[in-house]
Amino acid sequence: MSCSLLEFCRLQELKTVRDYLFQSQKNEPVEEKNQTENDVSWETSEWESAWDSGENKEEETTSATKVEEEPTEQRAPWLQDCVVSLSPCSDLLVVAREQKAVFLSAKWRTDDGGREEMTLAVSWTGTLSTDEGECVSSSICIPLASQKRSSTGRPDWTCVVVGFTSGYVRFYTENGVLLLAQLLHEDPVLRLKCRTYEIPRHPGVTEQHEELSILYPASMVTIDGFSLFQSLRACKNQVARAAAAGSDVIQPPPLAYKKWGLQDMDTIVDHCSVGVMTLCVFDQMKNASILGGFHASVKGNPPAMSQYVTVGGGPYTGFYYAVEGSSQPLLSHVALAVASKLTSALFSAASGWLGWNKHKNEEEVQKQKPKVEPATPLTIRFGLPDSRRHGESICLSPCNTLAGVTDDFGRVTLLDLARGVAIRMWKGYRDAQLGWLQVPEERVDRELSPSASHPRRHALFLVIYAPRRGILEVWGMQHGPRVGAFTVGKHCRLLYAGYRLMGVNSVTSKGWQLHTQQVCLLDPITGALRTVNIPFHLALSDKKSERAKDMHLLKKLTTLLRSREVEPDILESEAKSALLDIKHPAIKKQALESLLSNKNAPVSCLANITSALYDTLKQQDPDEVDPALQQLCSSQLKLLQLYSDIQQLHSAADTETCPENEESLEGIEEELSRVGPTLQRYAQLTTRPSVSFAQDSPNSLLPAQAFLSQMECTEGEELRVIRGSETQWNQLGNFMFWGCLCGKSPLHQMCDTLQQAGISPQQLLSLLLSVWLQREKEVLQKPEETVKNLHTLLIALSNMKGAVEDSWDPQSISPWWQQVRTTCIQSHNAAAALLAAFVAHRATKASITSRADSKFQSEWEAVSLELEQWLVCVRQLEDVLVLQTLLLVPPPQGATGGAAPQCSIKTLLEGGTGGIADSISKWVFRHNLAPERLKEILQKKEEADEKLEQKSGEGKEPEEGNQEDTDRTAELLVAVCQRFPHSLSPDLLSAHCCWEYVVQWNKDPEEGQYLWCAVEHLKLVSSPHIQLGISAMMWSTFIVKRFSAAAYLMEKVGKAPKDRLCRRDVGMGDKAVTSFLGCCVQLLQILMEVTGVLVKNTSPLSFIDYPADSAVEEVSAPELSMEEAWCGAEGPGVSG
């Protein structure tokens, strides 16, 4: 694992940001910028000049071709001219230039792949300056911690602190609302920096206080963090109250700050506040002797001092020490920037906190120049003099012991702040930007929590971004090598905050997990915000570091495995060498797993390398060997051997014959001949051309890596198959059993091999049934041969130890055969499930007969509950096969399409008593079968049933001669109705067809033909009870609302309404309304006739012409029943 650059956020609306900030400025010519970048001063070294000029030449050659393609905001380095600051929590970005500023806040969105990602979108734009001529010179974003006990480390809100060239420092909310303003010095603000609370890692480390430091050209102001935190909270609350109700102004607590006049330094451009430090006795005596001479007095207790380091010129770096207590903190009263509804408020105090009214239409208030407190002189203690070198920036490390300084010579200097010396220097980094990364040590398995005696180690890295070279480098501290380098472009900005949340202390920080980014790189071209990820082991850069060496070997092995052009012999030798040279067990295990998951390595290579590693581990001392690694090698070797054995069995030319099973297959052949025509028709309907990918083909060889990922070894040295996705499960079943089912592989040898490997028979049975059901098309091409092989495999698996229990009583249900039955019941592949049921039924019968013969030694035939279950299952599967064959018949061209529904025993039982009729009604609608045609087919079915009863003694099927003129689809429908005589009685089928058509009409009312067909099917129902129920439900559910709307519309218009009015009120066109009303007349006529028949004796209706026959008065309710094999239907509304 090496150094990486990870994108965690992306900026939105970059063009909007640039256009807003650069409205008044025209784009500078590209030629001038290239010329400026090519100007190299004489102080630059020769190799740097060659580097810069060479890259600029490349830019010049490519700029002519890209100038028309790239937008203007991407060509010019506009972000370098802006003041940019990012919150440590990465939820707020501020980009300011001159008087304007843009705030970008974090938002979450879902990308095209469904993943959540964070973006920064523009939340506020506006002008920050109020005084004429002032511009933004510096800004920082300070997240303030929440005071609620339920907080987990996220900020309550973020304060934006902005410094101006007029000397003002103003504080804003994330929405651009001004909270307060301060004029502490009349010179321009150079830099704003913040220090927040950090948990001390060692007992002797001094706890640092929070503070905000403001640098001016000759002075520096430090504001106490606690005082600032309380004032900002009070101001924000006051602004919220004033915005809500305009309440009275509440004076917030005063600010405590110190103002130092930095002396003995010509120019100051940047600073850092190191914090409070205490000298040891020797350093105290040394300083006293240097300052006071030989007769200087030394105090008993070393005083606490605040250390400040500045960079600039004369000297190049200055060290200042302010003794605690030498200067009393100044108190300033805070003036709120809150305007009431009527008048604007202006509050001033001794230190000059100001607020103003931002509304232009109100009366302007005369501004008063606030009083500026004088600075306390602070002399320089010492510095690093270099008359020609001028510092440009300084970046303090998180541990407050080191600092990186950049200068105008293109150098980066590393300072030891405790000793005040430069300990390292890099050259060739002109205009460099610095940042720090502190990486904690990874927690190892045996070290769940670090104790006080063994603290968790941290590694420190310096991040340097060189914009002239477009490179980002990471260096180990203090004298470590470069551990990472990235090419990132020449116009990026390295954003390093150096602080976290304000308002945190040693009590409130317990249990918090602060979600902050230390270093971020902003690319203005793509808008990507990236962070640097550095592993801890890169700090262990010495030659004796085994972990660093192991990580290098792991990286080398990973690169080797990714290469596809390496010969297998070379791959095996180099991978074995790298794997054996790795010392750390965890890294060696990671390398072995990476090797076993590689798709380019052949099986022999994997087996040889794993075997060599296993032999090496066995030769070592058992106490020094990692048990998990040794167990991994042992299990993977066993799996690789099993994979090779299965491959060899599939490639064997000789196959075995099983004459002992020929007798038990006699009954299966009879059943196959009985259902043969239906199977042929089913096979014709399922073998349609389809498109599939080669890698998804079931005939493709299962890679060894996929085989290893689906198998695992248990503690008892047995193998267990991991149930993954359905595709992976089917691929594994194909690899094991499809060659046996086709007769190309020895069956018994395969079963013996799998049994010796320790795979449970239940999992092998599940794999066998899955491949059998999945390869249904291939099975139906040669049903006799495949059924024979399936019978042999099923018998072999059932004879395995642990398959069928020895204590199984044939009068009870066997879990083994119940597993087969459950799989067949749930399968949508009706033909393959039926063939599997035939085989399992015969195998169960043979097993029960053998058990009965060995137990009773009699000639009585064994009767078992298990056999009865199989008889019911076979009967149900035959019914499902015929039904599924009918449903697979494609509809005629021009009819309503749609995929054919898949049915199984489980779905039909869950569908309830009307599930079968519902499936047929949908099929009738899909095929657009006319009601008269359906009636004709049902009548022929009844005639066939009558003739079948008359000639039942002859044993002939009358359908062959009587239905020569009907098509094959009608034959299938008749066959289905014969298998479901109760569920598909003419009345029930017509009722379901009527309901299906009216439902489809309700979805598309323009299709008046659907409603007409529904009424015609309703007329075919002979039972008045069913007819009345269906017609009443049709009327109340679908008809009455549209009928009432049509009637009201015609009454309102007084004539036939136009098409537009019909569509608006009724929801269909005028032609559809005409057809709809005609169907309503027929439906009402049916309702009247049926109602009259059923209630003639109780309330005769004078307007109904009753028939003369009085027998209709005694109409009995229909008796709804189910077929005997389908009595277990439990659908909606059906009690169990």
Side-chain angles (χ1 to χ4, degrees):
M1 187 169 59
S2 60
C3 210
S4 60
L5 204 58
L6 304 177
E7 178 180 340
F8 69 94
C9 182
R10 186 171 287 270
L11 273 65
Q12 302 292 326
E13 307 170 0
L14 271 176
K15 185 176 184 301
T16 305
V17 175
R18 183 193 183 278
D19 292 345
Y20 178 75
L21 296 177
F22 291 83
Q23 285 179 353
S24 60
Q25 176 182 340
K26 295 183 179 179
N27 296 324
E28 297 180 3
V30 182
E31 293 80 3
E32 294 181 7
K33 291 187 176 296
N34 289 334
Q35 183 178 0
T36 304
E37 291 179 357
N38 274 324
D39 293 338
V40 182
S41 59
W42 62 273
E43 295 91 354
T44 310
S45 58
E46 295 179 357
W47 67 269
E48 184 183 357
S49 304
W51 187 305
D52 288 343
S53 61
E55 287 190 345
N56 288 326
K57 289 178 181 179
E58 294 179 0
E59 284 186 353
E60 291 174 358
T61 56
T62 59
S63 61
T65 59
K66 295 184 178 180
V67 67
E68 296 180 358
E69 300 176 2
E70 297 181 353
T72 306
E73 65 270 17
Q74 295 184 7
R75 292 201 311 266
W78 62 275
L79 198 63
Q80 306 297 340
D81 300 332
C82 301
V83 176
V84 184
S85 60
L86 177 68
S87 170
C89 301
S90 304
D91 56 355
L92 181 64
L93 178 70
V94 175
V95 184
R97 180 179 177 272
E98 295 181 352
Q99 296 86 11
K100 299 179 181 179
V102 179
F103 294 180
L104 296 95
S105 301
K107 292 182 180 180
W108 290 90
R109 72 170 187 178
T110 305
D111 60 2
D112 297 337
R115 296 173 298 179
E116 293 288 336
E117 64 176 6
M118 190 179 79
T119 61
L120 288 175
V122 176
S123 59
W124 181 85
T125 59
T127 302
L128 297 180
S129 62
T130 58
D131 294 348
E132 183 178 357
E134 69 174 358
C135 299
V136 177
S137 58
S138 181
S139 70
I140 59 172
C141 301
I142 305 178
L144 281 80
S146 175
Q147 299 299 298
K148 298 179 181 179
R149 294 185 178 181
S150 60
S151 177
T152 57
R154 298 298 299 174
D156 186 14
W157 61 286
T158 304
C159 178
V160 180
V161 187
V162 183
F164 294 86
T165 55
S166 61
Y168 272 99
V169 178
R170 297 185 177 96
F171 299 80
Y172 302 86
T173 65
E174 310 102 318
N175 301 323
V177 178
L178 177 63
L179 295 178
L180 49 91
Q182 171 70 35
L183 182 61
L184 296 174
H185 199 69
E186 294 183 347
D187 291 335
V189 176
L190 298 182
R191 290 294 173 90
L192 295 171
K193 291 196 176 180
C194 181
R195 187 177 69 240
T196 55
Y197 174 79
E198 289 287 340
I199 301 176
R201 297 205 313 269
H202 305 287
V205 177
T206 305
E207 187 174 291
Q208 301 295 334
H209 299 287
E210 299 179 325
E211 71 172 12
L212 172 67
S213 58
I214 309 168
L215 179 66
Y216 298 92
S219 61
M220 181 179 59
V221 174
T222 60
I223 303 176
D224 179 65
F226 179 78
S227 174
L228 178 62
F229 179 73
Q230 298 298 332
S231 298
L232 290 176
R233 288 187 58 208
C235 293
K236 189 172 187 297
N237 294 337
Q238 181 59 37
V239 169
R241 292 192 189 100
S247 59
D248 296 335
V249 176
I250 301 176
Q251 191 71 16
L255 281 176
Y257 70 94
K258 296 180 180 180
K259 186 175 181 181
W260 304 101
L262 305 178
Q263 299 180 351
D264 303 327
M265 194 165 177
D266 295 342
T267 58
I268 301 176
V269 296
D270 199 1
H271 77 292
C272 68
S273 176
V274 182
V276 180
M277 59 174 296
T278 303
L279 296 177
C280 63
V281 178
F282 176 79
D283 290 338
Q284 182 190 10
M285 296 176 64
K286 179 189 66 174
N287 294 336
S289 301
I290 294 175
L291 296 176
F294 180 78
H295 300 286
S297 60
V298 181
K299 296 181 180 179
N301 295 325
M305 298 179 294
S306 296
Q307 184 183 14
Y308 305 102
V309 182
T310 59
V311 295
Y316 156 65
T317 304
F319 290 79
Y320 294 86
Y321 293 87
V323 179
E324 292 293 318
S326 61
S327 174
Q328 294 299 323
L330 304 174
L331 297 179
S332 72
H333 295 283
V334 181
L336 297 179
V338 179
S340 64
K341 296 181 179 179
L342 301 179
T343 59
S344 60
L346 177 63
F347 303 96
S348 59
S351 62
W353 289 95
L354 291 181
W356 68 92
N357 179 17
K358 297 176 63 176
H359 301 282
K360 301 297 181 181
N361 57 351
E362 295 185 3
E363 181 183 359
E364 295 184 359
V365 181
Q366 182 180 1
K367 296 185 178 180
Q368 299 177 359
K369 208 63 175 176
K371 179 183 177 182
V372 177
E373 298 290 342
T376 302
L378 186 64
T379 58
I380 189 172
R381 177 71 60 87
F382 60 89
L384 300 179
D386 192 336
S387 59
R388 294 172 49 207
R389 188 184 304 272
H390 295 272
E392 294 181 345
S393 66
I394 183 170
C395 186
L396 181 65
S397 67
C399 58
N400 296 335
T401 57
L402 301 174
V405 180
T406 63
D407 55 44
D408 57 349
F409 282 1
R411 309 294 194 266
V412 176
T413 307
L414 182 64
L415 299 182
D416 185 344
L417 300 180
R419 296 185 295 163
V421 296
I423 58 178
R424 192 172 184 180
M425 181 178 286
W426 295 265
K427 69 176 183 177
Y429 295 89
R430 186 172 299 278
D431 301 329
Q433 302 171 24
L434 307 181
W436 294 90
L437 269 176
Q438 189 170 262
V439 181
E441 184 179 12
E442 298 90 346
R443 297 182 185 272
V444 294
D445 297 337
R446 69 189 69 178
E447 187 178 342
L448 298 179
S449 60
S451 59
S453 58
H454 299 284
R456 197 175 180 184
R457 297 186 298 176
H458 288 71
L460 192 62
F461 298 91
L462 177 64
V463 182
I464 306 176
Y465 169 58
R468 294 290 187 95
R469 297 156 55 188
I471 188 172
L472 183 74
E473 298 180 348
V474 182
W475 293 82
M477 294 292 103
Q478 296 179 12
H479 300 282
R482 189 178 73 173
V483 297
F486 309 93
T487 303
V488 295
K490 298 185 177 183
H491 305 316
C492 301
R493 285 290 293 269
L494 187 66
L495 306 177
Y496 172 71
Y499 57 90
R500 294 192 178 185
L501 271 70
M502 178 172 284
V504 181
N505 53 43
S506 58
V507 177
T508 59
S509 62
K510 292 182 178 179
W512 278 21
Q513 295 180 354
L514 302 180
H515 307 279
T516 57
Q517 302 288 350
Q518 298 186 57
V519 173
C520 299
L521 185 73
L522 175 59
D523 189 349
I525 298 179
T526 62
L529 202 59
R530 292 177 287 182
T531 183
V532 184
N533 182 27
I534 306 176
F536 176 82
H537 70 84
L538 293 181
L540 309 175
S541 58
D542 54 335
K543 297 181 180 180
K544 297 182 180 180
S545 174
E546 293 183 354
R547 185 177 179 85
K549 181 181 179 182
D550 290 347
M551 294 304 299
H552 174 72
L553 292 173
L554 176 61
K555 185 177 180 180
K556 177 182 176 181
L557 177 62
T558 305
T559 306
L560 178 66
L561 294 176
R562 289 177 180 175
S563 177
R564 299 183 179 181
E565 300 177 357
V566 182
E567 296 294 333
D569 297 339
I570 300 177
L571 175 63
E572 179 179 345
S573 61
E574 294 190 4
K576 183 189 298 184
S577 175
L579 190 62
L580 295 179
D581 290 342
I582 297 176
K583 305 299 181 183
H584 202 277
I587 302 178
K588 183 172 290 189
K589 183 179 178 181
Q590 182 181 355
L592 179 60
E593 292 174 349
S594 177
L595 175 66
L596 294 174
S597 62
N598 184 261
K599 297 181 180 180
N600 300 328
V603 181
S604 59
C605 173
L606 298 178
N608 294 336
I609 295 176
T610 309
S611 177
L613 177 60
Y614 186 63
D615 295 340
T616 305
L617 294 176
K618 289 194 298 184
Q619 296 174 3
Q620 296 179 1
D621 188 2
D623 297 335
E624 298 179 357
V625 176
D626 187 8
L629 179 60
Q630 190 171 7
Q631 175 65 24
L632 177 64
C633 293
S634 175
S635 61
Q636 298 303 310
L637 272 177
K638 186 176 182 180
L639 292 176
L640 289 171
Q641 184 62 40
L642 176 61
Y643 182 85
S644 302
D645 294 342
I646 295 176
Q647 269 192 326
Q648 292 178 1
L649 290 176
H650 286 323
S651 60
D654 55 337
T655 58
E656 30 180 71
T657 58
C658 303
E660 65 274 8
N661 293 332
E662 296 292 338
E663 297 179 359
S664 59
L665 291 174
E666 295 179 357
I668 298 181
E669 293 177 354
E670 296 178 359
E671 293 174 335
L672 285 177
S673 61
R674 178 169 54 86
V675 299
T678 307
L679 287 176
Q680 292 179 0
R681 178 63 172 159
Y682 180 87
Q684 293 175 0
L685 295 174
T686 53
T687 55
R688 296 180 182 178
S690 59
V691 178
S692 61
F693 294 98
Q695 60 267 25
D696 298 333
S697 174
N699 296 321
S700 59
L701 180 64
L702 181 70
Q705 294 73 22
F707 181 80
L708 296 177
S709 64
Q710 298 182 59
M711 308 286 290
E712 68 175 3
C713 287
T714 59
E715 296 180 357
E717 295 299 325
E718 296 181 354
L719 296 183
R720 186 175 69 89
V721 184
I722 303 174
R723 187 64 183 258
S725 63
E726 195 68 25
T727 303
Q728 295 175 346
W729 188 262
N730 292 333
Q731 287 178 350
L732 184 60
N734 279 318
F735 175 68
M736 290 183 176
F737 293 112
W738 181 241
C740 300
L741 291 174
C742 294
K744 300 178 181 179
S745 304
L747 287 77
H748 285 283
Q749 293 184 22
M750 179 65 69
C751 293
D752 294 342
T753 301
L754 296 175
Q755 184 180 13
Q756 293 174 3
I759 306 177
S760 66
Q762 285 76 15
Q763 288 193 324
L764 293 177
L765 177 63
S766 179
L767 289 169
L768 174 62
L769 293 177
S770 68
V771 64
W772 175 264
L773 297 174
Q774 182 210 10
R775 307 294 290 267
E776 184 185 54
K777 296 179 181 179
E778 293 87 342
V779 167
L780 293 179
Q781 293 177 1
K782 298 179 179 179
E784 294 82 4
E785 180 182 354
T786 53
V787 164
K788 176 182 176 181
N789 295 329
L790 176 64
H791 185 271
T792 305
L793 283 173
L794 197 57
I795 292 295
L797 293 180
S798 61
N799 292 332
M800 286 185 181
K801 184 179 179 180
V804 182
E805 299 180 0
D806 297 334
S807 59
W808 171 52
D809 184 7
Q811 301 302 323
S812 61
I813 301 297
S814 170
W816 174 263
W817 298 114
Q818 180 62 34
Q819 180 182 352
V820 183
R821 200 156 44 244
T822 302
T823 305
C824 295
I825 288 174
Q826 296 177 353
S827 173
H828 293 284
N829 301 314
L834 178 60
L835 296 180
F838 285 158
V839 173
H841 183 203
R842 291 296 171 182
T844 306
K845 188 174 182 179
S847 175
I848 292 176
T849 303
S850 63
R851 285 175 181 266
D853 292 344
S854 62
K855 186 175 182 179
F856 299 106
Q857 298 292 335
S858 63
E859 298 179 356
W860 290 87
E861 182 178 356
V863 179
S864 168
L865 179 62
E866 186 72 42
L867 293 179
E868 293 298 322
Q869 293 280 345
W870 274 118
L871 288 175
V872 175
C873 182
V874 170
R875 170 66 182 181
Q876 290 176 337
L877 286 172
E878 290 180 3
D879 296 344
V880 171
L881 176 62
V882 179
L883 177 61
Q884 185 66 56
T885 305
L886 176 65
L887 297 179
L888 287 174
V889 175
Q893 294 183 356
T896 304
Q902 298 289 330
C903 64
S904 63
I905 298 178
K906 181 180 179 182
T907 56
L908 291 180
L909 291 176
E910 292 176 350
T913 55
I916 301 172
D918 185 64
S919 300
I920 297 299
S921 66
K922 288 181 170 58
W923 178 86
V924 169
F925 171 77
R926 241 183 10 257
H927 284 253
N928 198 16
L929 194 64
E932 296 81 7
R933 176 63 176 158
L934 178 63
K935 180 181 178 181
E936 179 185 351
I937 295 175
L938 295 179
Q939 287 178 352
K940 291 185 178 181
K941 175 251 179 186
E942 294 178 357
E943 295 175 0
D945 290 342
E946 293 176 0
K947 294 182 179 180
L948 181 63
E949 292 177 0
Q950 295 175 2
K951 300 182 179 181
S952 58
E954 300 178 6
K956 298 180 181 180
E957 298 206 3
E959 302 175 13
E960 298 179 0
N962 296 334
Q963 296 186 358
E964 294 178 354
D965 299 335
T966 59
D967 55 359
R968 305 179 69 179
T969 303
E971 293 178 5
L972 281 174
L973 180 58
V974 170
V976 172
C977 293
Q978 288 177 345
R979 286 197 162 271
F980 299 97
H982 301 295
S983 300
L984 295 179
S985 62
D987 282 356
L988 288 181
L989 183 56
S990 298
H992 278 83
C993 290
C994 170
W995 190 257
E996 178 64 25
Y997 269 102
V998 75
V999 168
Q1000 297 296 334
W1001 169 81
N1002 187 61
K1003 295 179 180 178
D1004 188 6
E1006 295 291 338
E1007 295 290 339
Q1009 184 71 16
Y1010 294 166
L1011 185 58
W1012 179 85
C1013 290
V1015 175
E1016 293 298 319
H1017 280 291
L1018 183 61
K1019 293 178 181 179
L1020 298 179
V1021 178
S1022 60
S1023 172
H1025 294 83
I1026 298 178
Q1027 205 174 33
L1028 177 62
I1030 295 296
S1031 57
M1033 286 194 302
M1034 284 175 57
W1035 177 261
S1036 59
T1037 306
F1038 303 109
I1039 306 296
V1040 64
K1041 290 185 179 180
R1042 297 184 187 272
F1043 184 82
S1044 301
Y1048 178 76
L1049 178 62
M1050 287 186 292
E1051 181 182 2
K1052 180 180 178 181
V1053 176
K1055 59 179 181 179
K1058 299 296 183 181
D1059 184 79
R1060 181 180 60 84
L1061 295 177
C1062 293
R1063 294 185 184 275
R1064 185 192 66 183
D1065 294 352
V1066 189
M1068 63 184 77
D1070 53 353
K1071 296 182 180 180
V1073 168
T1074 304
S1075 174
F1076 165 68
L1077 294 177
C1079 295
C1080 288
V1081 172
Q1082 299 184 39
L1083 179 62
L1084 291 174
Q1085 183 68 28
I1086 295 173
L1087 272 170
M1088 291 167 59
E1089 294 176 358
V1090 174
T1091 305
V1093 170
L1094 294 178
V1095 300
K1096 180 178 180 182
N1097 294 334
T1098 57
S1099 58
L1101 303 176
S1102 58
F1103 53 84
I1104 298 180
D1105 186 13
Y1106 297 106
D1109 190 2
S1110 60
V1112 294
E1113 299 176 7
E1114 299 178 359
V1115 177
S1116 60
E1119 295 182 2
L1120 303 179
S1121 59
M1122 289 285 295
E1123 292 75 16
E1124 184 179 358
W1126 296 93
C1127 291
E1130 296 182 0
V1134 180
S1135 58

